[in-house]
């Protein structure tokens, strides 16, 4: 799931939509979530908020409500509030998903969210980095953006040292790029991993 989230584009959207549909239990909630998704794509903050409040009314225990509120604050560029809401998410899976989405959103952009939000993202990713190499890669990128270059380089090397089922060569190159002071983006890493992975049915 995290790899799909980090891949961006339609793959990312499909992963999120499937995960949300697994939780949504009736047509009304699905319609409300479609309203939210449409508003988010347009950057329509008032419509996002209206959809979130409708979802909260229809299903107060919807586990992804905290993530939607974080997204609303990110859309408003209210970085301190987004950071506070992110750190307050109790569901670990939802917290990691939210942090990973923020990491991916700003990974290849010059404009950065505020330091408080970067710090919150780094805190959550660091807490869960051992569970997924892609989470660790995101953490390395965030640490670099924070100016914590030695820590980012060490984190990138942990990606290479523990490739799991991923091909090791692109992960080693990812770590090397930090040593050179020109760290690869997550998109570049994903493309390299994809190119190095055997095709389905191949050797």
């Amino acid at each position: 799931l995290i790899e799909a989230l980090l891949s961006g584009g339609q793959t990312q959207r499909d992963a999120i939509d499937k995960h949300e549909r697994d939780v949504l239990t009736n047509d009304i909630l699905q319609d409300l979530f479609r309203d939210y998704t449409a508003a988010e794509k347009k950057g329509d903050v008032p419509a996002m908020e209206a959809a979130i409040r409708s979802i909260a009314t229809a299903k107060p225990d919807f586990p992804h409500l905290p993530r939607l509120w974080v997204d609303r604050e990110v859309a408003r560029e209210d970085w301190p509030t987004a950071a506070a809401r992110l750190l307050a998410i109790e569901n670990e899976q939802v917290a990691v998903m939210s942090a990973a989405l923020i990491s991916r959103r700003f990974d290849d952009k010059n404009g950065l969210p505020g330091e408080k939000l970067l710090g919150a993202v780094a805190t959550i990713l660091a807490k869960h980095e051992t569970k997924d190499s892609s989470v660790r890669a995101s953490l390395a990128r965030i640490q670099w953006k924070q100016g914590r270059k030695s820590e980012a380089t060490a984190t990138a090397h942990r990606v290479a040292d523990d490739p799991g089922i991923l091909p090791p060569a692109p992960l080693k190159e990812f770590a090397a790029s930090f040593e050179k002071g020109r760290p690869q983006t997550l998109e570049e890493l994903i493309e390299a991993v994809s190119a190095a992975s055997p095709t389905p049915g191949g050797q």
Side-chain angles (χ1 to χ4, degrees), residues 119-164:
V121 170
T123 295
I124 290 173
L125 295 180
K127 184 177 179 181
H128 300 283
E129 67 161 299
T130 59
K131 296 182 179 179
D132 194 305
S133 58
S134 58
V135 172
R136 189 176 292 129
S138 293
L139 175 60
R141 289 287 300 166
I142 288 292
Q143 289 172 331
W144 189 273
K145 287 179 177 293
Q146 290 180 298
R148 299 158 57 191
K149 295 186 177 181
S150 61
E151 291 177 70
T153 301
T155 302
H157 277 290
R158 291 199 297 277
V159 176
D161 293 342
D162 184 18

Side-chain angles (χ1 to χ4, degrees), residues 88-124:
I89 296 177
E90 296 180 358
N91 183 300
E92 290 188 359
Q93 185 180 32
V94 174
V96 174
M97 176 186 289
S98 187
L101 286 170
I102 294 169
S103 171
R104 184 66 180 85
R105 178 178 299 183
F106 295 100
D107 184 60
D108 57 357
K109 292 180 173 59
N110 292 326
L112 298 176
E115 286 298 321
K116 285 189 177 181
L117 182 55
L118 281 179
V121 170
T123 295
I124 290 173

Side-chain angles (χ1 to χ4, degrees), residues 133 137 156-163 165-178 180 183-198:
S133 58
H157 277 290
R158 291 199 297 277
V159 176
D161 293 342
D162 184 18
I165 63 171
L166 299 178
L171 302 186
K172 290 180 180 179
E173 183 57 34
F174 179 72
S177 72
F178 282 74
K180 297 172 184 176
Q184 291 180 349
T185 65
L186 293 174
E187 182 176 355
E188 290 169 337
L189 173 61
I190 291 165
E191 289 176 355
V193 168
S194 178
S197 299

